[in-house]
Amino acid sequence: MPLLEVHNYTKRFHVHHLEREILAFEGLEFWLNPGEFMLVRGPNGVGKSTLLRCLYRTCIPTGGQALYDSLHGPGDLARAADVDIALLRRSEIGHVTQFLHPRPRVSALDLAAEPLALAGRMWEDARSEAAEWLEAFRLKRDIWHAYPATFSGGEQQKVNLVRALIRPQRLLLLDEPTASLDVTTRAALIERLRELKARGVALIGVFHHDSDVVGLVDRELRLA
Amino acid sequence: MTLAELARPAQDYSYAFLDEFAKREVRRRILKAIAIPGHQVPYASRELPIARGWGTGGLQVTLSIAGPHDIVKVIDQGADDSVNAVNLRRFIARMTGVATTSDAQLATIIQSRHRITEERLREGQVLVLQVPDPEPLRAVEPNISLAREMHADADYALMWLGLYEQVVRFGTFMTGASYPVVVHQRYLMSPSPIPRWDTPMLHQAAHLTLLSAGREKRLYAVPPYTDVRPIEFEDVFFQVENQQGRICEQSGAVNKFMNEIPQPDGSMCYQASDTGYVEKLVRRARGEPVAIGATYYDDDGTFYHPGYLKEQEPDHR
Amino acid sequence: MTSLAFDLPRLLTTAPLLRARRLTKHYGAIPAVAGVDLDVYPGEVLGIVGESGSGKSTILRLLNLEEAPDTGDYTLTIDGYRGRNLFTLDRYDRRALRVRHIGIVYQNPLHGLRMHITSSGNVAERLIMAGERRFATLRNAARDALDASEFPLARMDDIPRRLSGGMQQRVQLAKAIALQPMVLLLDEPTTGLDVSVQALVLDTLKRIQRELHVATIIVSHDLGVIRTLADRVLVMRHGRVVEHGLTDQVLDDPQDAYTQQLVAAKL
């Protein structure tokens, strides 16, 4: 059985005050094995991000199945209970978005370490691992203890990447993670993704520059 | 034969002033109070020829339990000769025919306001304390219905919170008279406004203590040989007033509860507040044969139940 | 309810710590809470949002056993209370349960604090209620709890009336966590605070949540607070749950017309 098997996946947004349905995508079919990388392609506004969000359950798909073979047992990401999804998010499924939700008065380092601490790691331990990651993504040391609300887009994105990648994952959803990164950080990220893939993590990605990941892609899903 | 001759001779009052039903009610309430040590029992509280708040609670108890063979002592703040004590004693004697005394050893009933005698009371004696405010929780819970619930649940946490506050702010417990006690490990009780010095005297006492509040219509009891513990922490202890170094100028008594008497030159002299005890000391000094009983505190200030009062090590904050 | 029907939990093997079913409470003819079900798992934060009068605070008062519901079952998976409907506890057991296992922070510190008692005394009260009678223990526990809620210890013996709103909330929080409860109820804990103070209190709440791993319910009409703290969220209107889901899902892909309106109204 593949790690993820998606059938007839469909998402429509129902906007009540407009009394309108907006179609995001319809009837998607794909599967993914551990260690495979699937690139999602298509023009702007075609629902690429929404697909990732429907797998992470930030959005609720209106039809279809996403059968996921978790370590806790098989489940349908489209219909699993909220607490099951929360469990998978803590332990197996990561989502890298373009946006950081910085919290007032929380430093970059603490924000990066938080997911590990929430997963049960000792706080000091989590902080030292977060420091290694920030180092790897070349976030300037002197702003580690500053508040990310004041950071540039690229700096925020680095913190965001660490938050998403620091936890052990089995399925990683990447929503334009390189969008606001400089060339060297982009290379560092791709290197990390390559390592994760080699360790058996399955990846689904939307990339602004597909050329970034050209050597990693096993499969493509084209939305139109 | 005239109508007047047929009628029984006129009687102005029942024996002991209160009518038989009133006395019977009070006696029944007393029995209930003894059965539930420290628990406040409501009673009707009749009209008396003195005003509420002047000892009517204690007086109703004394009148209800006194018989012609009793010997009654009445004291007010330790004194047998204050106006209130004299008036109450005269009224009780006139209405019941009891003998009166100032000697705590001779009395069978001792009605008191604000003090317990320095000499130990013995089995068979009854101490009647006049109580202005029977509710120890009033300071922390003004709503009396809630206070009742707290008694029912033995929920006295707020009292210890009060102790915590006193230690934090002042380094020690600040309550003077009426120091709250827990009776028989169950009910929180106000011992009436006796000084802290007297509070330990209620613990495992040989005599019966009846406490009665006429205005508030409540009475309660400490039966003989019952545990009475002042509220305290396990590491910060209840302390009595320090009487060290004070000598009664009339009798030479030491380590008894003293009244302070300011002198014109600004200095202070002391008199033991228990006048019956002082009188006996003075008579003995004159060479008269007087029987003086053992006191609760000896002349070194040691309380007669060893270990009940504990030394406090300074600065626990 | 507009939320789509989801499966029952299958992957998560732990049982909910707190479970409430068919909570209903009327004030006169007005239904404040009309048939609400909720589960909270150990270590989880459940948010409840909705406009004033939607019944959110009433739910907290019911769960804190301050008020009796008209109907409803309420169970906690705690030794000694398993399988008992907590609404049927008598006054004595109810008090013991609240002291030991439930902490609450009210929007208005007047409800949660004794204003004429020192801050440390307010915290110590909880231990006294649980039977502690050593002064030194009370003192140390109060200091530790106040420290954990990041209250300035130099002011631990000030009365709350002399403290700022943010500090009063910290005293409430210290009181709530002093005995390491299983359930923490937060009723608009940062409403009425300055924005900067609000951020600090939120940060403290988040850290305490992480360290104590307590099951938390937070009521707020501030969606930012809910996004920061809650794992899952219930949206309430007129005493009913109109939508529930993962916090990011409810805020980013609301299903119900009312929730869409609520989310769109956020600044």
Side-chain angles (χ1 to χ4, degrees):
Chain A
M1 180 178 170
L3 183 69
L4 179 67
E5 215 180 312
V6 175
H7 297 298
N8 197 27
Y9 227 41
T10 302
K11 174 64 182 173
R12 285 189 175 83
F13 289 99
H14 184 90
V15 185
H16 287 273
H17 80 278
L18 301 176
E19 292 177 16
R20 260 189 68 192
E21 294 249 315
I22 300 168
L23 178 69
F25 52 79
E26 196 168 28
L28 297 184
E29 301 272 342
F30 59 89
W31 75 96
L32 203 64
N33 291 312
E36 284 187 332
F37 189 123
M38 183 174 86
L39 183 65
V40 183
R41 304 185 67 171
N44 281 342
V46 80
K48 301 190 294 288
S49 292
T50 303
L51 170 60
L52 298 186
R53 287 149 74 88
C54 281
L55 292 171
Y56 196 63
R57 264 282 283 286
T58 297
C59 295
I60 302 177
T62 33
Q65 286 181 306
L67 302 174
Y68 175 75
D69 188 25
S70 89
L71 295 174
H72 306 275
D76 179 359
L77 297 182
R79 290 289 163 261
D82 292 327
V83 287
D84 283 345
I85 297 291
L87 172 71
L88 294 178
R89 287 177 176 191
R90 280 198 301 275
S91 56
E92 298 189 21
I93 303 179
H95 187 209
V96 186
T97 63
Q98 306 165 59
F99 308 104
L100 177 70
H101 285 293
R103 280 211 311 281
R105 315 284 179 113
V106 183
S107 73
L109 184 61
D110 287 353
L111 207 55
E114 191 178 77
L116 263 192
L118 284 174
R121 196 82 81 77
M122 295 295 291
W123 184 239
E124 282 316 308
D125 209 18
R127 276 172 62 120
S128 69
E129 188 164 338
E132 284 171 30
W133 281 84
L134 290 176
E135 185 78 56
F137 285 125
R138 296 178 196 189
L139 185 73
K140 292 192 293 287
R141 249 172 198 286
D142 43 346
I143 62 170
W144 286 8
H145 297 282
Y147 306 132
T150 59
F151 286 12
S152 72
E155 287 162 345
Q156 289 199 1
Q157 177 66 346
K158 289 176 188 179
V159 177
N160 202 24
L161 282 172
V162 174
R163 274 176 69 82
L165 297 175
I166 194 165
R167 270 203 297 234
Q169 314 280 4
R170 299 180 69 228
L171 174 63
L172 197 52
L173 308 168
L174 303 155
D175 191 356
E176 304 214 17
T178 57
S180 47
L181 295 182
D182 56 74
V183 180
T184 45
T185 319
R186 212 184 287 178
L189 171 65
I190 301 301
E191 193 44 44
R192 287 277 169 167
L193 295 181
R194 194 187 306 279
E195 283 171 29
L196 291 173
K197 180 170 148 58
R199 272 192 261 145
V201 177
L203 303 110
I204 302 179
V206 177
F207 283 83
H208 197 61
H209 308 287
D210 293 349
S211 56
D212 288 341
V213 289
V214 72
L216 297 175
V217 177
D218 299 301
R219 199 189 304 285
E220 284 189 11
L221 179 72
R222 186 168 284 277
L223 299 187
Chain B
M1 193 176 274
T2 65
L3 197 59
E5 286 165 343
L6 282 171
R8 289 192 303 170
Q11 261 189 311
D12 288 342
Y13 300 107
S14 302
Y15 176 74
F17 185 80
L18 296 173
D19 66 67
E20 294 308 316
F21 290 104
K23 283 181 291 193
R24 186 188 295 171
E25 190 227 0
V26 173
R27 288 175 198 140
R28 285 177 170 166
R29 302 302 176 190
I30 290 171
L31 289 176
K32 180 170 179 181
I34 292 169
I36 316 172
H39 174 62
Q40 300 166 44
V41 181
Y43 70 105
S45 196
R46 310 296 157 134
E47 290 299 330
L48 289 166
I50 58 170
R52 297 261 160 101
W54 294 82
T56 53
L59 187 56
Q60 286 177 81
V61 168
T62 301
L63 292 173
S64 298
I65 63 174
H69 304 295
D70 274 309
I71 305 171
V72 173
K73 170 179 164 76
V74 181
I75 42 181
D76 181 351
Q77 305 247 40
D80 293 87
D81 51 2
S82 81
V83 175
N84 287 329
V86 169
N87 282 337
L88 285 170
R89 181 164 53 237
R90 193 166 54 197
F91 180 74
I92 294 164
R94 196 184 280 173
M95 290 295 148
T96 61
V98 298
T100 61
T101 180
S102 62
D103 187 338
Q105 297 282 295
L106 297 179
T108 56
I109 300 171
I110 298 163
Q111 179 173 336
S112 172
R113 170 176 174 264
H114 293 197
R115 274 310 310 273
I116 298 176
T117 59
E118 297 286 354
E119 285 170 282
R120 290 182 216 168
L121 298 180
R122 60 172 189 277
E123 287 183 12
Q125 289 182 300
V126 180
L127 174 66
V128 179
L129 285 170
Q130 300 166 202
V131 179
D133 183 357
E135 183 49 74
L137 292 170
R138 194 186 301 275
V140 295
E141 182 49 74
N143 181 331
I144 214 75
S145 304
L146 288 180
R148 296 270 147 72
E149 280 189 5
M150 290 160 72
H151 280 298
D153 295 350
D155 170 11
Y156 299 131
L158 286 179
M159 301 303 292
W160 268 269
L161 179 59
L163 293 184
Y164 175 92
E165 290 292 292
Q166 292 171 19
V167 177
V168 164
R169 292 182 196 200
F170 308 108
T172 184
F173 303 143
M174 298 304 285
T175 307
S178 272
Y179 196 97
V181 293
V182 175
V183 180
H184 198 52
Q185 289 107 46
R186 178 58 181 86
Y187 282 100
L188 186 76
M189 184 188 92
S190 167
S192 87
I194 54 175
R196 294 199 304 275
W197 180 262
D198 291 357
T199 308
M201 299 174 182
L202 293 169
H203 174 70
Q204 289 293 333
H207 68 275
L208 166 66
T209 306
L210 299 174
L211 303 99
S212 177
R215 192 187 55 204
E216 303 293 327
K217 304 182 173 67
R218 297 264 179 276
L219 63 82
Y220 45 104
V222 180
Y225 303 110
T226 301
D227 268 9
V228 175
R229 301 274 178 191
I231 59 170
E232 61 183 356
F233 287 117
E234 288 166 22
D235 52 351
V236 183
F237 308 127
F238 165 83
Q239 304 284 302
V240 298
E241 292 89 348
N242 187 3
Q243 306 296 338
Q244 294 286 335
R246 298 176 170 186
I247 301 168
C248 173
E249 58 148 21
Q250 280 179 294
S251 64
V254 290
N255 279 304
K256 303 293 173 285
F257 191 75
M258 300 286 177
N259 290 334
E260 300 177 14
I261 300 162
Q263 299 300 300
D265 64 358
S267 69
M268 202 66 85
C269 87
Y270 298 97
Q271 276 180 8
S273 107
D274 184 344
T275 56
Y277 178 63
V278 167
E279 184 192 330
K280 288 207 279 187
L281 288 178
V282 170
R283 279 169 51 205
R284 185 163 70 181
R286 278 200 228 113
E288 294 179 32
V290 197
I292 301 181
T295 50
Y296 289 103
Y297 295 88
D298 67 17
D299 287 348
D300 299 325
T302 307
F303 186 61
Y304 81 122
H305 288 309
Y308 185 84
L309 292 173
K310 289 161 289 220
E311 286 287 322
Q312 184 68 53
E313 297 189 7
D315 198 24
H316 24 80
R317 271 190 286 185
Chain C
M1 203 183 299
T2 330
S3 300
L4 298 165
F6 291 121
D7 297 342
L8 292 171
R10 291 207 313 234
L11 306 180
L12 192 70
T13 48
T14 43
L17 180 85
L18 181 158
R19 168 162 278 183
R21 289 290 176 270
R22 304 179 312 281
L23 291 185
T24 302
K25 176 77 181 175
H26 286 74
Y27 294 113
I30 301 155
V33 178
V36 169
D37 293 353
L38 57 88
D39 291 324
V40 191
Y41 287 76
E44 189 187 35
V45 182
L46 179 70
I48 303 181
V49 297
E51 60 203 4
S52 305
S54 60
K56 355 184 251 303
S57 295
T58 305
I59 287 186
L60 283 202
R61 286 199 298 277
L62 295 179
L63 296 179
N64 193 36
L65 300 175
E66 280 171 57
E67 279 183 39
D70 300 337
T71 60
D73 282 345
Y74 175 22
T75 52
L76 289 176
T77 315
I78 296 174
D79 287 341
Y81 297 95
R82 260 172 241 273
R84 294 167 76 180
N85 182 357
L86 302 179
F87 291 134
T88 65
L89 293 182
D90 64 25
R91 187 176 70 222
Y92 189 84
D93 286 343
R94 200 159 61 220
R95 173 171 170 271
L97 174 72
R98 287 177 60 185
V99 168
R100 271 281 158 209
H101 298 301
I102 304 178
I104 188 162
V105 174
Y106 296 94
Q107 174 179 1
N108 186 344
L110 276 173
H111 293 150
L113 296 178
R114 297 178 189 279
M115 285 298 174
H116 57 284
I117 294 281
T118 60
S119 300
S120 65
N122 268 288
V123 180
E125 181 184 353
R126 208 176 171 90
L127 286 97
I128 295 171
M129 288 174 84
E132 179 56 54
R133 293 290 181 269
R134 283 186 62 84
F135 179 78
T137 311
L138 294 173
R139 194 82 184 134
N140 292 334
R143 186 182 287 121
D144 290 350
L146 284 166
D147 197 31
S149 46
E150 288 157 41
F151 180 90
L153 291 184
R155 305 196 61 180
M156 68 185 277
D157 294 328
D158 283 3
I159 58 171
R161 207 179 286 292
R162 275 195 238 125
L163 301 173
S164 67
M167 282 199 266
Q168 290 178 352
Q169 291 308 67
R170 289 180 191 283
V171 177
Q172 278 207 77
L173 186 60
K175 181 176 183 172
I177 64 171
L179 280 176
Q180 309 216 333
M182 307 290 278
V183 178
L184 184 58
L185 306 173
L186 307 170
D187 189 2
E188 306 266 11
T190 61
T191 307
L193 301 180
D194 290 347
V195 176
S196 61
V197 179
Q198 188 174 3
L200 292 171
V201 173
L202 276 182
D203 189 34
T204 304
L205 286 171
K206 187 94 184 164
R207 190 181 51 71
I208 282 173
Q209 170 58 27
R210 194 172 61 220
E211 286 169 4
L212 293 186
H213 217 62
V214 52
T216 304
I217 299 181
I218 176 166
V219 159
S220 183
H221 64 265
D222 183 336
L223 297 181
V225 170
I226 292 293
R227 192 188 276 279
T228 303
L229 287 178
D231 299 311
R232 289 189 300 125
V233 65
L234 301 183
V235 183
M236 288 197 61
R237 192 183 196 200
H238 301 327
R240 294 180 187 281
V241 176
V242 294
E243 179 164 359
H244 66 88
L246 294 157
T247 304
D248 55 337
Q249 178 260 298
V250 170
L251 298 183
D252 294 346
D253 184 19
Q255 308 291 304
D256 181 79
Y258 173 70
T259 318
Q260 288 186 357
Q261 195 188 324
L262 196 72
V263 170
K266 186 179 187 292
L267 287 175

